[in-house]
Amino acid sequence: MRVLLTGLGTYWGGSLAQALERLDDVEVIVGLDTEEPTVPLERTEFVRADTGYSILSRIVRATQVDTIIHSHLIVDTRNVSSRTLHEINVIGTMNLLAAAGATGSPVRKVIVKSSTLVYGSSYQNPTFFREEMQRARSPRTSVERSLVEVEDYLRDFAEDNPHVVVSLLRFSNVLGERLDTPLSKILRLPAVPEIFGFDPRLQFTHHEDVLGALLFCAQHDVPGIYNVAADGLIPWSEVCTILAKRRVALPPVGTNLFMAPFNRFGLVQLPRETLELLRYGRGVDNRRFKRAGFQYHYTSAGAVAAFAEALRLERSVGDAQPAYRYERDVENFFRHSPAVVRSGDA
Amino acid sequence: MSTDRRESDSSSDLRRSRLSERGERADRASAVPARVADGTVVPIERGRAESLETPLYDPRMSDVDHWGRSEHAREIARRLYEPLYSQWFRAEWEGLEHVPREGGALLVANHAAAIPSDAPVIMHGIEKELGRAVYGLADYLFVSIPVVGTLWSRGGGVPAHPDNAYRLLHDDQALALVFPEGSKGPGKHYSERYKLRRFGRGGFVETAMRAGVPVVPIAVMGAEESMPILYKNRTLAKLFNLPYVPLTANMLALGPLGLVGYFPAKFRLRVLPPVHFDVPPDQERYSRSRVMEEADDIRELIQQELYKMLQQRRSVWFG
């Protein structure tokens, strides 16, 4: 397997590259990003590319990759302008798929990491979304609109390229100790915000299950759309109980207006889609991916409890992992210098 | 209720069902995901994967189920509601044996009173007499009201989305209560009491067919008189975006207390034999005319039963 990975500098790109390096049948891993990797990598090749991936078709031709994992879709809109969002999500995906679908392209599999944000949060929504169900209202936030657009492109791509296995995974509220999301951020606060009078039910996913799901798609052929979310919908109040946190209520009317100054000055950032989630929650049906053979290692409550444990550890010892800084020359030396004895050569 | 439950893998799925079929066939035995330890991922051997058959660690801290219902909250609600149920309304049941002891069933009843008093009576009654949880399907509107929405859902309220109803009946094999008249039932003038409104577009029949469960009709007598509507203001209703803004007899008689205070009308509830539909479940679609016909028949059953019950009623207050 020769893999091309987008967003190598992001949390997901980094952890995914680390995971792929451990698989023997993965020969080559090429990681694209505008930012340098933030985790130590052994054999992944980092290529600095602009957000539009203009050099992509050249890379695909040159490296003869057969699998593309598109993990670089922005789902966290804190500190991201809607223009950047559109550029990275929509234009980026468009170029990526154009390169993957070019004539003579060696690509046989495309895996995209999307989000259950495409379903939105509304009082008119069903309690559980199945993959083929439509949301009750058309998307109102820029991130939801961009993801819906990305999925449309992907659908066209799948239609036009029947020889390519296309897996679209929609992940739901991922929790992980090193992962920074609007939800994980507010769950780290001494008092967790809630919207007065609302106790929505949410579905969480452990970050290891996310990696597991993406690797599962890389190793098996699972074409189609899949929700990835652990079993169990849990009320926000219970999430706070598991984390042993107090709650603080936001006004139920004019919540967006109330939060505007906070969002602006970065004290507590709750984008609009997260506020909607805290009002109405969201549930998805995860049975299709299970039927395809995937097994979860955590339930929703288990994912929250694991997050609680990580926070407790963090409180005692701080960040347990050593800091890493990417040094281009050092990385090149280890990968390409004849002086380095590599296990494969011996 | 609309009918889009099986909008199917066709319309929105990637490259249609062909793909998902292939996906579902992905070899189960070789489907070994990755085991992750300290942030790095290694593929797990088969033996480990099989041990995962044991249930996952699930440290829940409350009894709120995925519909938002909490048995603990219901218990408190039952204790508070019991005096109203047995002392005030003095609810009496007939034909409770028609409510299935297990398996899913869709309870269908007539709907009345400005603030409907029949839903809590039915839910309380069946939970008390049979010990089975009843989920009340109702308008989405509830969900969007702070506090009320949360209490409503803890108490067993579920937004009446067709897919929610199907899951309750089919996947959870639960009892679900629905009032097909919708807000047109409670919103009718006192002069039209016990005259059943249109049963929607028969969506409830279609859901029951799809889920493969019977419909259990219930005729409720007494709700109409517990909070009768004397006058409705259309302008105010439009202004507040509500189905109706009523002036009730209770407001006239009890003053401000009449906004929420019921008259002590005697409640009689009669459960009719379950209606089974002789159709295969989980079909893409069901014949529209058949659905409408069944819905009409059920409406007529309840209507006729109500007339019978009213014939035998000597007093609104004493039954």
Side-chain angles (χ1 to χ4, degrees), chain B residues 180-202:
Chain B
E181 289 170 279
S183 63
K184 292 190 290 302
K188 60 186 187 282
H189 193 261
Y190 183 58
S191 61
E192 296 170 295
R193 59 189 179 276
Y194 297 114
K195 292 204 181 91
L196 264 60
R197 291 302 156 109
R198 179 163 60 85
F199 265 19
R201 281 171 284 176

Side-chain angles (χ1 to χ4, degrees), chain A residues 22-23 123 127 130 132 134 155 158 164 197 199 201 220 223 225 234 238 285 287-288 297 299 301, chain B residues 5 12-13 15 19 30 35 41 43 57-58 60-62 66-67 140 147 150 154 163-164 167 171:
Chain A
R22 295 189 169 248
L23 299 178
Y123 64 97
T127 304
R130 277 191 316 280
E132 70 273 16
Q134 298 291 321
R155 211 163 276 139
V164 179
D199 195 5
R201 277 152 289 131
H220 304 89
I225 307 176
I234 25 179
E238 189 182 337
D285 188 328
R287 291 180 293 191
R288 187 191 275 184
H297 288 72
T299 63
Chain B
R5 202 196 71 75
S12 58
D13 206 337
R15 212 157 65 227
L19 276 179
S30 71
R35 175 84 196 158
V41 184
Y57 172 59
D58 193 30
R60 289 297 304 265
M61 307 273 267
S62 79
H66 49 244
W67 301 109
Y140 304 97
V147 185
T150 307
R154 292 293 171 274
D163 188 68
N164 287 351
R167 269 177 178 271
D171 298 0

